[in-house]
Amino acid sequence: MASRVAVGIAGTGSYAPPRVMTNHDFEKLLDTSDEWIVQRTGIRERRYALPEQATSDLCIAAARQALDNAKLDPKDLDLVITGTLTPDYLLPACSTLIQHALGATRAGAFDVSAACTGFLTAMHTGEAFIASGRAKHVLVIGAECLSRYLDMNDRGSCILFGDGAGAMVLAPLAECRQGEIVRTTLGADGAGFDLIHMNGGGSRVPPSAESVARGDHFIRLKGREVFRFAVTKMADLIAEMVAGYDPSEISLVVPHQVNARIIEAAVARLDWSMERVFVNIEKYGNTSAATVPMAFHEALEQQRVEKGKLVVFVAFGAGLTWGATLVRW
Ligand code: UT7
């Protein structure tokens, strides 16, 4: 068997669109309050893409920053992989628009669809390409324009979500010398299909005047049921990633920013303190595939990640899908 190439994180980037949607803005639209939203979710505001922006535009900004930080040229890229549930078009892939805009002329490009687990799915795919020697530099992105798919009359869902993009450039560890990907896991259970889904717009319920009138293109969720699943799954995944390591080796957990209460409950189950957990949901809400790479980039900027220590990424979402990664920074 060919030896496995160790893979690292050469650079990160993040982009949040400029339009701020606060809880007070929702108070004007719906029967809700800043107090309820903060208490139940931890969210104070989220960003929405400008009318002229689509998901690839957010990705391009995050990707340029990640390439700059990695000190690499777009022409160095072998692959672009984007995890998103809100691509610019159903056809072609969002990644091809990004590849072209960046001038990544040597790169292949495709999207992965795993909802909030989309970034970790893209990351694990990129890691596998490099580990097997089939690629050297892979740009992986998690990005969403969820604001385009929110039912602004459904207070149980619309207040949760925002838009944004996070990117990473993966490279052989021997070259980038940081961020070794040590462990990965991905899982799924399609029995949970109806907990979070968009009924319309695909081949089962193609877009029509009737489907749009019914609001079939909006995100629907069973929040309470997702909540229960999420707490246990997040705790189990973190435990799986750190098994066998001394707790003093763990620098930071970067979880999917789903709901501050879910994150706190999962961490309490593990008997850990929130000091070692990165949360920025108050500023961005749940940006689905974008939460983990945006949060990790911000954690690095804030110097929350200790050199040589371990970082855990953990996410789950519609499908149901889930994933986790252990990185030695
Ligand atoms: O990334 C994966 C996608 N994310 C999710 O699936 C979200 C996971 N779930 C959650 O974050 C939480 O379940 C929610 C934030 C969605 C809801 O919080 P909760 O503590 O589970 O509330 P609940 O659904 O049990 O609702 C409690 C009450 C209800 O009123 P009644 O029936 O008790 O009179 C809701 O109608 O809160 C009401 N409510 C609201 N009130 C004010 C629901 N949304 C709102 C709102 N403002 N925005």
Side-chain angles (χ1 to χ4, degrees):
M1 204 174 99
S3 66
R4 180 187 172 279
V5 177
V7 181
I9 300 170
T12 65
S14 173
Y15 175 78
R19 185 179 159 210
V20 178
M21 180 79 178
T22 66
N23 291 348
H24 297 293
D25 293 327
F26 275 110
E27 286 174 344
K28 293 171 207 148
L29 298 174
L30 283 165
D31 179 16
T32 190
S33 66
D34 175 53
E35 194 193 355
W36 191 96
I37 300 173
V38 172
Q39 262 182 15
R40 299 290 182 124
T41 72
I43 301 166
R44 292 182 187 278
E45 57 187 45
R46 64 291 287 144
R47 303 293 186 88
Y48 282 180
L50 301 173
E52 65 272 23
Q53 288 178 313
T55 299
S56 69
D57 301 303
L58 316 190
C59 293
I60 291 158
R64 288 203 170 114
Q65 192 181 27
L67 282 162
D68 277 355
N69 286 333
K71 299 191 174 50
L72 287 171
D73 189 90
K75 292 189 176 51
D76 296 327
L77 293 174
D78 300 303
L79 264 184
V80 178
I81 312 174
T82 307
T84 183
L85 66 98
T86 54
D88 298 27
Y89 308 104
L90 276 182
L91 180 76
C94 199
S95 295
T96 60
L97 308 174
I98 301 160
Q99 172 273 334
H100 176 65
L102 293 175
T105 47
R106 292 181 43 257
F110 59 91
D111 295 352
V112 297
S113 173
C116 302
T117 319
F119 174 76
L120 292 185
T121 306
M123 186 183 179
H124 296 183
T125 307
E127 191 256 357
F129 269 92
I130 301 172
S132 64
R134 291 179 186 190
K136 202 165 176 203
H137 301 122
V138 182
L139 172 64
V140 291
I141 305 173
E144 307 291 356
C145 277
L146 294 167
S147 60
R148 307 273 151 84
Y149 301 94
L150 301 180
D151 180 350
M152 287 301 194
N153 295 311
D154 177 9
R155 66 180 182 170
S157 64
C158 69
I159 51 107
L160 296 171
F161 298 104
D163 302 341
M168 267 184 202
V169 179
L170 306 180
L173 184 68
E175 181 188 298
C176 66
R177 295 174 183 281
Q178 63 178 11
E180 180 182 7
I181 299 171
V182 178
R183 262 181 201 168
T184 62
T185 187
L186 288 177
D189 180 6
F193 153 82
D194 64 340
L195 295 192
I196 316 165
H197 78 297
M198 283 159 75
N199 206 38
S203 56
R204 190 163 300 278
V205 184
S208 64
E210 293 78 17
S211 77
V212 172
R214 282 194 302 267
D216 283 351
H217 55 295
F218 292 134
I219 296 170
R220 304 288 177 201
L221 53 92
K222 296 184 177 163
R224 231 176 280 185
E225 287 166 59
V226 176
F227 198 111
R228 278 196 293 273
F229 157 79
V231 171
T232 319
K233 185 51 83 179
M234 187 180 271
D236 290 352
L237 286 167
I238 296 170
E240 184 185 334
M241 286 298 105
V242 303
Y245 288 99
D246 190 88
S248 65
E249 283 201 76
I250 317 301
S251 179
L252 198 66
V253 176
V254 181
H256 172 40
Q257 305 290 308
V258 53
N259 179 323
R261 276 167 58 226
I262 292 176
I263 297 170
E264 283 158 12
V267 170
R269 254 178 105 88
L270 293 167
D271 228 357
W272 283 22
S273 108
M274 283 298 289
E275 269 167 40
R276 280 191 290 172
V277 182
F278 192 81
V279 179
N280 66 357
I281 194 170
E282 67 281 1
K283 291 190 288 189
Y284 304 118
N286 177 350
T287 56
S288 187
T291 66
V292 168
M294 287 179 81
F296 183 57
H297 178 77
E298 195 174 323
L300 288 175
E301 280 185 335
Q302 294 178 12
Q303 299 180 333
R304 291 279 306 274
V305 188
E306 290 164 89
K307 198 77 205 147
K309 291 206 173 178
L310 298 168
V311 185
V312 180
F313 301 137
V314 57
F316 49 81
L320 300 165
T321 57
W322 56 86
T325 318
L326 184 71
V327 166
R328 188 176 290 281
W329 192 249

